[in-house]
Amino acid sequence: MEFAPVASSRFCGICPITHASASTDSIERALGITPPKDGVVLKHLCNMGNKLHSHPLHQLLILPDFAKDPNAALAATVRIQKMRKIGQNIVDITGGEAIHAPNIRIGGMKTNISEAAKRKILESLKAYEPIMKENNEFLLKIFQASDVPEKLGVHNNELMATDLHYGNADLFEQEYFYRFSEVTPRSFYPKPEVGEEACGTAPLIGGKAVEGGPKARMTRFAGFGAKDCGKFDPKGAMAINIARVLEIPLTLQKATELATQLDTTKPTMTKPPEAGGDGQRLGVGPQEAPRGVNVHVAKVKEGKIAYYNCLVATTWNILTIGKACEGQHYKWAEHVVRAYDPCVSCSTHLIVVDEDGKLVAEDTI
Amino acid sequence: MAFGKYKEVMALKAKDAKVTGVAQDGGVVTSILCYALEQGVIDGALLAAKSDTPWLPKPVVATTKEEIIAAAGTKYTISPNMSAIKSAAREYALDKIAIVGTPCQIYAARKMQLYPFGARHIADKIALTVGIFCTENFSYAGLKTVIEDHCKVPIESVTKMEIGKGKFSVKGAKDVAIPIKETHKYEQDGCHVCSDLTAEFADISTGSIGTPDGWSTCFTRTTKGSDLMKKALAAGLFEKKEMAEFAAPMGLAMLEKLETGKKDKAKKTVADRTALGLFTTPGIVY
């Protein structure tokens, strides 16, 4: 069973922390074990560090859509990289590695951090704040100045969020899981040939596609709405970009709270029973990943995985992304996709240079 | 060139009584680390500290002067200090790490700096390397056999061990010295293909060979090591003597003799292994 978080964290190089956390949380629930308090705090802090890097990274990838002044874009890029560095450093310290953190274990976190490391994290979070403020002001301004249609990406699909920061398995089970179903893309999409091109599955809540991510979290838990969106529709794609900006200060605040409350002298691991698990109990681990909800579910029998399923953030969101692209000129479709997930290949920015490094072509695909 | 590249060589003796009371010889490693920590050159060090098992060292990340002093003294079995470097860079969040190690461990640190595969954001945090002279090392079982079967004393009664003047000696409940040649069969096999006695790739390297009891021979090899040592000397940390004060067979003549012996032995071992058709790392001897 120890291999499940190691393997599933390799789904993604940007959000490995949330996958490892969802995996360990689901297995812990299947085994019926609870990590020590400081193990939970440290794991949450690790996830906040990941979000403090991942949200700015997302902003870097949408920057060419909005920042038309190259000097301003360069300054924003520098700020973003500084923010990412701090976020990644927090994951390095708490998780053991920023990319695929080996300290995230079934039963908590492999090791606590030193008091000096805790102080460093708190200092770095202080340093993060002014950079973030400047960057957020800049981004909100260029979003409002853009010519993106005000109602781009508006849809009426349900928003799915379990927590503002980490993920709440109890809430997920009470509000979503009993309505959950999973169908093949071929049966979900109106045209079979579209579904046949898709890979993965179509996870549904109440028989319909949902949206997870910053807009869903902020709407449900932080009162996000029309007042925050300026000219844009709070149900649209630009609202996701805005919610992401507004979520960063809350993540920063949460990270500071967690780091402050961490007792570096206490244990962080509850050793899981080597032959634990009855093979019947289904453990559910929903995780509020930067771009959506990661849901890992597991059954464990005598220390081995008996059943495992992962519904990653974009597997949920991709169904809504398609819907949100409808109703506007096709040139805006890529803006919709990028608002949800820059990892999707169709949202990639492309440049072609010749042997001398001269720009031959530039496009956003 | 004998002793590898270096900038200065000198004989040193720490002045701080807290250090000399616990140090193996001149207290160079302990004193320079405490000084580097005070000056902010390092924010922690990887050291071989005492464990619950007598004379079995364990790698520790020391971040205070007290922890550095507590780890003083030579342990004649290997302490895998490099294994703690990731912990130092991660859970301890150190940015300026000092590594104290045998010549082979200094190799590991330098290799990590040259090609840091699997060591992301770790090798760039190595701020200082302090190498310890090493003729050879024992496995723990070997060391225990030497002490309990050859010296005939319980290992837990030993308070200090030394190698010098052709003897392996233990001090404690009973002081015993045996000819060093009795211990050769317990040496780690890997030591026999090692050409480096004086930690030629460290910033600073030091050991007892060549200087009288209570003193250490010390090389500064890099600009970083040399600058740090100059400041430490200016701050009055050490008594200093020129190596020329120790005439042959002591002094550098003795060190060169032993170093040449180690290099020749390594060459011979490699030749023997090659003749048997065994693999030997290319360029391991020089």
Side-chain angles (χ1 to χ4, degrees), chain A residues 277-296:
Chain A
D278 58 8
Q280 301 299 316
R281 187 169 173 167
L282 186 69
V284 184
Q287 261 287 322
E288 291 296 336
R291 276 165 278 284
V293 189
N294 268 333
V295 183
H296 289 221

Side-chain angles (χ1 to χ4, degrees), chain A residues 5-24:
Chain A
V6 175
S8 61
S9 102
R10 264 82 186 164
F11 287 162
C12 180
I14 298 174
C15 309
I17 308 307
T18 165
H19 282 297
S21 301
S23 179
T24 52

Side-chain angles (χ1 to χ4, degrees), chain A residues 186-192:
Chain A
R186 195 175 189 279
S187 31
F188 175 78
Y189 288 104
K191 291 183 179 174

